[in-house]
Amino acid sequence: MSRGMMITQRGKRSEVTLACLLLAMAGCFANLNEVPQVTVQPSSTVQKLGGTVILGCVVEPPWMNTTWRLNGKELNGSDDALGVLITRGTLVITALSNHTVGRYQCVARMAAGAVASVPATVTLANLQDFKLDVQHVIEVDEGNTAVIACHLPESHPKAQVRYSVKHEWLEASRDNYLIMPSGNLQIVNASQEDEGMYKCAAYNPVTQEVKTSGTSDRLRVRRSTAEAARIIYPPEAQTIVVTKGQSLILECVAGGIPPPRVTWAKDGSSVASYNKTRFLLSNLLIDTTSDEDSGTYRCMADNGVGDPGAAVILYNVQVFEPPEVTMELSQLVIPWGQSAKLTCEVRGNPPPSVLWLRNAVPLTSSQRLRLSRRALRVVSVGPEDEGVYQCMAENEVGSAHAVVQLRTARPGTTLRPWRDAKPATATPPVPPPGPGSPAQMPKGHPGALRPPASAQPAPLPCLGEQGQVAPAEAPVILSSPRTSKTDSYELVWRPRHEGSGWAPILYYVVKHRKQVTNSSDDWTISGIPASQHRLTLTRLDPGSLYEVEMAAYNCAGEGQTAMVTFRTGRRPKPEIMASKEQQIQRDDPGASPQSSSQPDHGRLSPPEAPDRPTISMASETSVYVTWIPRGNGGFPIQSFRVEYKKLKKVGDWILATSAIPPSRLSVEITGLEKGTSYKFRVRALNMLGESEPSAPSRPYAVSGYSGRVYERPVAGPYITFTDAVNETTIMLKWMYIPASNNNTPIHGFYIYYRPTDSDNDSDYKKDMVEGDRYWHSISHLQPETSYDIKMQCFNEGGESEFSNVMICETKARKSSGQPGRLPPPTLAPPQLPPHETIERPVGTGAMVARSSDLPYLIVGVVLGSIVLIIVAFIPFCLWRAWSKQKHTTDLGFPRSALLPSSCQYTMVPLGGLPGHRANGQPYLSGTHGRACTDGVPVNRACPAAAMGYPGTKPQQCRPGELQQPLIPGCWAC
């Protein structure tokens, strides 16, 4: 190797070393400028003994080192003795025991300092036994509401109540039985049928234990003439504590004859003008509580008998509020020797306790550290006081914290502090793995691609000609949303701006995932170099819908997001491909199987509905709606239109924008309301008209709303009223108690109905009611038919359990035809799709045919046809006999010469017929059809002809007059 080459290599090494040193120094300064944060706090949880517990903690910057504490003690990595595993900020307790319950905190450390999360408490689920009690006899006036109280045992979490009613366990409200959140059972409009024994049980939803009360309560229903109003429940004044945001139900059950009227007041004023309240029978309901709901509530009952103000009960309501913590500064720079004061504003009810921490270590008062509930003063600041300070507040209903970074400076040196803003020098993210090694990452955490600080190249100052550089704009995606390939997709793009005046792009991040009906898969994330503008997505499913999000990164960090949704090609069936090839070969032997055929213009129609659109954020008050078209109906698509609908609001779909060119498959919808959830749908238009709307998008919450995905509701609504409006419509009303679902928001209700005599669940039809409406009309029903009706509530997490089942019968159809008139017969049942019904008028009623009734329908039609044929044949037979009798009478025989027993038909010898010889064969004569020879009866047959009554002369039949015998053995003319 030559000396020149050696010098060149050494020079290159020196340059690389110097560059690495400069990058490392810049990285240290950047880390000093960034304040560590815990963006997602671990949540307290309750689990049974031996169950698995998972605690998550998300920190920013994401490459910080994360550890965990249990009851203030550091956990060193995975602890096999305790059964605890720690991986990437997640703590897993494989089998919960008494040694692993307690308060957990995650701690994130970086060069600038350390920060601790709020504590998350892990407790064991348990259910105690019922306390011993005596049997109670509960009396109620008929027509009033009875209350069966259940004193639930201590349980963690709170136990759910069950009731034994008429030897059947009742888990949810049904019929006139209403189970309240307090555990009480209210029996509405009590009657003699409700008398009997009632027993309650407690169910722990975590341990799934059930414990039953040792005693039962007896209900007696009495009949009274007149009785003054009185409060049945609660028996005495109550104090209720509720957490802000939860629902509240104040129970008030009154009795008396006649049934009393119940009114409510708050702090002396009627709640009639209080918009937040509504009524559940005589109970008061507040859906979402706030500070202003605290106060004294009065329930008063009056029925006109006795003193008007005698039946009164009071509730004292206190609304507790979790802590809220704010600090004036996020970073503070103090010269050495001066004092620093950190102010912490804390709100909450009851007043929270406050704990100060420095670098995740609790502080105590000293000569230099003076602590109070609202401030921390550091006297004579020195370098040892640098770090991250936390103000952590906690009360009975929650905890919160705020963070400030304190930096110090030598005397005479001034550093500019940042006030609630990011530092001027930002740390750019590090290029992720290359396109050949995509990584599966959890949804919503693309930043997890960033490596630890020790492995990342250092940032450079992000300054341009105009000062601070802005993040890169969204790339322009050039790929078509359709592909004929079944398992891959070619993604092509270009940067929106290039050249001077724009910060160079460092790399791209591409995420893609498959869309399914209820949820989406995790993102598959790929990192692409800045020089590459093409990526092949592989291992895709045929005929599936995928969504892609990509962003460009420059020195300012992540840029704006570009999106596209595409559908892979469907895999044709082998037999279809073979038949197509054969047809092509027959039509054109020289054509190849790949030859394209002319489109079929025999079926022209409006376009097919586009695929379900996907929604992504464009800004705080706007979103991008993206869709994929389907068939154009034979004519090119001319435009698209997008409609939206607000969730929890009753109303029709509203046009958002129209006249969208067919080349655009994405549009920005602006002017959305903060804190509101929307659904979107798309229509396509061609010269023949517009398509059906696409399936609605998944709900999208505009920024300002919590945005978290709620768990599915568990308890369903309760149907309170059904009524047949006419012969085809049923009206129903219901109520929904948010407290029964831990105040989980819902988007609407599903209503299911089917004929009562059906035993097939597939016969249920479904209506949907969106928003807060609590009534609905079911139409297009069959007249005079009984229907089973049940409901569910739903949100994006899923559907609740079913409600109570109500049975309601539609009214009879009014008679419109002539009475007594039979309908034309139906000889064959019509062909129907499965689970459909057919209506056939019969008099004034209707018949509903289902697939399960088809055998009975066929048998009925056959039997009816037979009866109809018989009835039609009887008149024909009577007419035939009458015509024969008339013909015989017209022969001119004297009526007086005929005896009742004589033959009334002339019998002739067979030999007298043309073509027959008289060979002595007997001829037929007489009413008995016996054979005769020359008038002499053979075996005493035909006595009238043999005996020669007066006026009865044997008469020869004329040729062709021989008829079939009407009487066996006798032939007649």
Side-chain angles (χ1 to χ4, degrees):
M1 182 179 297
S2 66
R3 182 171 178 174
M5 294 179 63
M6 293 178 61
I7 293 175
T8 302
Q9 290 181 357
R10 287 176 183 175
K12 289 183 179 180
R13 287 198 206 100
S14 301
E15 292 176 1
V16 171
T17 304
L18 180 59
C20 292
L21 181 60
L22 292 175
L23 291 175
M25 292 175 62
C28 292
F29 287 124
N31 290 338
L32 286 175
N33 289 336
E34 196 159 5
V35 180
Q37 297 280 352
V38 178
T39 56
V40 177
Q41 307 286 342
S43 301
S44 297
T45 185
V46 182
Q47 183 56 281
K48 63 183 178 181
L49 195 67
T52 302
V53 176
I54 300 177
L55 299 178
C57 179
V58 179
V59 297
E60 184 68 30
W63 56 79
M64 285 194 298
N65 182 31
T66 305
T67 59
W68 286 84
R69 292 174 182 169
L70 171 57
N71 297 327
K73 295 182 179 179
E74 203 81 18
L75 294 176
N76 297 321
S78 298
D79 195 328
D80 296 334
L82 286 176
V84 175
L85 302 176
I86 300 176
T87 55
R88 296 186 61 125
T90 302
L91 182 141
V92 180
I93 305 174
T94 55
L96 187 63
S97 65
N98 293 322
H99 300 289
T100 50
V101 297
R103 290 162 61 90
Y104 286 83
Q105 284 179 288
C106 74
V107 179
R109 292 181 173 85
M110 61 184 300
V115 63
S117 69
V118 298
T121 305
V122 177
T123 53
L124 281 173
N126 62 80
L127 177 63
Q128 303 294 330
D129 294 326
F130 277 87
K131 295 182 180 179
L132 295 178
D133 201 355
V134 296
Q135 186 183 81
H136 298 86
V137 178
I138 301 168
E139 293 187 346
V140 64
D141 295 320
E142 190 172 18
N144 285 191
T145 299
V147 178
I148 309 293
C150 182
H151 303 287
L152 291 171
E154 183 179 350
S155 174
H156 198 62
K158 182 181 178 181
Q160 300 174 4
V161 67
R162 308 281 190 266
Y163 275 95
S164 175
V165 178
K166 298 178 182 179
H167 308 290
E168 180 183 356
W169 282 105
L170 191 67
E171 298 183 2
S173 299
R174 188 184 67 187
D175 302 330
N176 63 326
Y177 300 106
L178 185 61
I179 297 180
M180 305 301 292
S182 63
N184 294 336
L185 175 66
Q186 294 187 10
I187 305 175
V188 184
N189 195 18
S191 63
Q192 299 289 334
E193 297 179 355
D194 297 316
E195 286 190 337
M197 304 298 294
Y198 291 82
K199 178 182 288 190
C200 71
Y203 169 74
N204 188 303
V206 176
T207 63
Q208 298 184 351
E209 292 179 279
V210 178
K211 293 192 176 180
T212 308
S213 173
T215 58
S216 301
D217 294 333
R218 178 180 294 276
L219 177 65
R220 291 179 180 173
V221 180
R222 64 190 180 188
R223 296 180 177 177
S224 303
T225 56
E227 185 177 349
R230 67 189 188 282
I231 300 296
I232 297 176
Y233 185 87
E236 58 186 11
Q238 301 285 312
T239 297
I240 302 294
V241 175
V242 63
T243 303
K244 181 181 179 180
Q246 293 183 346
S247 64
L248 171 67
I249 292 184
L250 302 180
E251 298 180 48
C252 184
V253 179
I257 300 295
R261 177 175 177 267
V262 173
T263 57
W264 284 88
K266 176 183 181 290
D267 296 333
S269 301
S270 173
V271 298
S273 59
Y274 202 44
N275 295 331
K276 297 180 61 177
T277 60
R278 55 192 180 95
F279 296 96
L280 177 60
L281 300 178
S282 59
N283 309 294
L284 184 68
L285 172 63
I286 300 176
D287 288 324
T288 305
T289 55
S290 59
D291 297 339
E292 61 183 7
D293 297 320
S294 297
T296 301
Y297 291 78
R298 182 189 66 185
C299 171
M300 184 174 66
D302 182 29
N303 64 348
V305 181
D307 296 335
V312 175
I313 198 69
L314 298 179
Y315 276 95
N316 180 26
V317 175
Q318 298 181 24
V319 178
F320 278 7
E321 182 181 359
E324 293 182 4
V325 181
T326 57
M327 300 187 74
E328 292 183 357
L329 301 175
S330 61
Q331 292 184 334
L332 185 64
V333 179
I334 302 295
W336 294 350
Q338 295 187 9
S339 296
K341 182 180 180 181
L342 308 179
T343 304
C344 178
E345 295 290 339
V346 178
R347 295 181 62 249
N349 184 29
S353 60
V354 177
L355 177 66
W356 287 91
L357 301 92
R358 180 176 61 202
N359 294 331
V361 177
L363 297 176
T364 57
S365 295
S366 64
Q367 291 184 353
R368 295 185 58 250
L369 295 177
R370 300 174 184 178
L371 308 179
S372 68
R373 186 174 179 274
R374 297 188 56 184
L376 165 65
R377 181 178 293 275
V378 183
V379 180
S380 184
V381 169
E384 68 277 7
D385 297 316
E386 285 194 349
V388 177
Y389 288 78
Q390 286 179 265
C391 174
M392 189 170 293
E394 185 174 8
N395 63 7
E396 286 84 344
V397 292
S399 55
H401 76 125
V403 175
V404 60
Q405 183 183 18
L406 175 63
R407 298 173 58 189
T408 63
R410 292 177 179 274
T413 303
T414 59
L415 293 179
R416 181 171 59 90
W418 292 267
R419 187 178 182 87
D420 290 330
K422 293 184 178 180
T425 303
T427 303
V430 176
S437 57
Q440 290 281 350
M441 297 303 301
K443 174 184 176 183
H445 295 291
L449 281 172
R450 301 177 182 177
S454 59
Q456 59 178 321
L460 297 174
C462 195
L463 297 176
E465 297 177 357
Q466 305 297 328
Q468 187 71 27
V469 171
E473 293 192 15
V476 178
I477 297 179
L478 307 176
S479 303
S480 169
R482 285 182 175 270
T483 177
S484 59
K485 298 180 180 179
T486 59
D487 57 355
S488 63
Y489 179 74
E490 194 76 15
L491 180 66
V492 182
W493 70 90
R494 65 172 175 82
R496 189 171 296 272
H497 297 287
E498 286 184 302
S500 61
W502 300 95
I505 295 175
L506 302 179
Y507 61 94
Y508 298 94
V509 171
V510 179
K511 305 185 300 179
H512 76 277
R513 66 179 177 183
K514 179 181 177 181
Q515 290 187 352
V516 292
T517 303
N518 297 323
S519 61
S520 296
D521 296 338
D522 291 336
W523 290 105
T524 299
I525 303 178
S526 304
I528 311 298
S531 59
Q532 182 175 330
H533 297 156
R534 182 183 298 269
L535 174 65
T536 302
L537 307 179
T538 58
R539 298 181 181 179
L540 308 179
D541 295 334
S544 299
L545 192 64
Y546 285 83
E547 57 182 325
V548 176
E549 293 184 6
M550 67 174 301
Y553 284 73
N554 60 15
C555 62
E558 181 180 3
Q560 297 177 358
T561 302
M563 301 174 312
V564 67
T565 307
F566 68 89
R567 182 180 292 277
T568 53
R570 297 184 182 274
R571 181 174 293 145
K573 296 182 179 180
E575 59 271 18
I576 297 178
M577 289 296 296
S579 63
K580 286 185 177 180
E581 292 179 7
Q582 293 174 4
Q583 180 67 29
I584 292 173
Q585 292 296 331
R586 284 197 300 266
D587 296 342
D588 184 5
S592 62
Q594 290 77 17
S595 300
S596 60
S597 59
Q598 295 296 325
D600 180 14
H601 296 289
R603 299 179 180 178
L604 301 178
S605 64
E608 297 181 21
D611 284 329
R612 168 186 286 179
T614 57
I615 313 300
S616 60
M617 185 181 73
S619 67
E620 290 187 355
T621 58
S622 64
V623 295
Y624 290 114
V625 180
T626 307
W627 64 91
I628 291 180
R630 285 184 173 268
N632 61 11
F635 284 101
I637 294 177
Q638 295 177 339
S639 64
F640 296 96
R641 56 187 295 181
V642 177
E643 301 170 346
Y644 72 89
K645 186 176 184 180
K646 297 179 182 179
L647 296 184
K648 298 187 178 181
K649 297 291 180 64
V650 179
D652 297 329
W653 289 84
I654 301 173
L655 178 64
T657 181
S658 61
I660 304 172
S663 59
R664 291 184 58 188
L665 301 179
S666 180
V667 67
E668 183 179 2
I669 306 299
T670 60
L672 304 180
E673 299 177 7
K674 290 187 177 181
T676 304
S677 294
Y678 291 84
K679 279 186 177 181
F680 298 86
R681 68 184 189 185
V682 184
R683 294 177 185 264
L685 293 86
N686 65 9
M687 64 180 299
L688 296 181
E690 66 178 13
S691 70
E692 293 295 321
S694 68
S697 68
R698 295 187 179 90
Y700 179 84
V702 181
S703 179
Y705 181 67
S706 62
R708 65 186 181 96
V709 178
Y710 295 100
E711 297 180 355
R712 77 173 186 91
V714 178
Y718 178 74
I719 304 176
T720 59
F721 171 83
T722 58
D723 183 41
V725 178
N726 51 41
E727 64 267 19
T728 61
T729 306
I730 290 177
M731 164 79 75
L732 73 153
K733 299 179 181 179
W734 63 89
M735 61 184 181
Y736 172 69
I737 306 174
S740 60
N741 286 315
N742 295 325
N743 297 297
T744 299
I746 62 171
H747 293 159
F749 303 91
Y750 290 135
I751 301 170
Y752 303 86
Y753 55 95
R754 70 174 182 187
T756 301
D757 57 358
S758 171
D759 55 358
N760 191 353
D761 286 343
S762 62
D763 289 341
Y764 272 113
K765 296 184 178 180
K766 183 171 75 171
D767 288 355
M768 182 176 69
V769 177
E770 291 187 330
D772 292 332
R773 197 175 72 188
Y774 291 91
W775 62 271
H776 180 67
S777 295
I778 306 174
S779 56
H780 306 294
L781 303 178
Q782 300 298 328
E784 205 171 1
T785 303
S786 179
Y787 284 86
D788 291 345
I789 304 172
K790 62 182 181 180
M791 296 181 60
Q792 288 178 311
C793 54
F794 69 92
N795 61 13
E796 62 262 37
E799 297 83 24
S800 70
E801 302 295 334
F802 285 106
S803 69
N804 55 318
V805 178
M806 298 290 282
I807 299 177
C808 186
E809 183 174 349
T810 52
K811 294 182 179 180
R813 173 172 290 173
K814 296 180 181 180
S815 177
S816 58
Q818 298 179 0
R821 191 171 183 177
L822 291 174
T826 302
L827 300 181
Q831 298 296 325
L832 292 175
H835 314 311
E836 292 292 332
T837 59
I838 182 171
E839 182 177 322
R840 182 168 68 97
V842 181
T844 60
M847 180 182 73
V848 178
R850 296 186 308 275
S851 58
S852 58
D853 297 335
L854 190 58
Y856 303 100
L857 184 62
I858 295 174
V859 172
V861 170
V862 172
L863 293 178
S865 302
I866 294 174
V867 171
L868 191 63
I869 292 173
I870 293 174
V871 171
F873 188 71
I874 289 175
F876 173 77
C877 293
L878 294 175
W879 174 81
R880 180 71 177 259
W882 175 79
S883 64
K884 296 298 181 184
Q885 183 177 0
K886 183 176 183 301
H887 177 75
T888 304
T889 305
D890 293 341
L891 293 177
F893 295 140
R895 295 181 181 273
S896 60
L898 296 176
L899 296 177
S901 61
S902 64
C903 289
Q904 296 186 17
Y905 301 92
T906 302
M907 306 301 168
V908 297
L910 292 176
L913 294 174
H916 290 271
R917 295 180 180 180
N919 52 6
Q921 292 180 350
Y923 64 89
L924 302 178
S925 180
T927 59
H928 295 74
R930 302 287 177 88
C932 302
T933 305
D934 295 332
V936 179
V938 181
N939 296 330
R940 298 181 180 180
C942 299
M947 295 176 62
Y949 288 111
T952 58
K953 297 180 180 180
Q955 183 178 359
Q956 296 290 331
C957 290
R958 290 189 297 271
E961 289 186 346
L962 183 64
Q963 298 181 1
Q964 296 295 328
L966 295 177
I967 301 177
C970 292
W971 291 78
C973 296

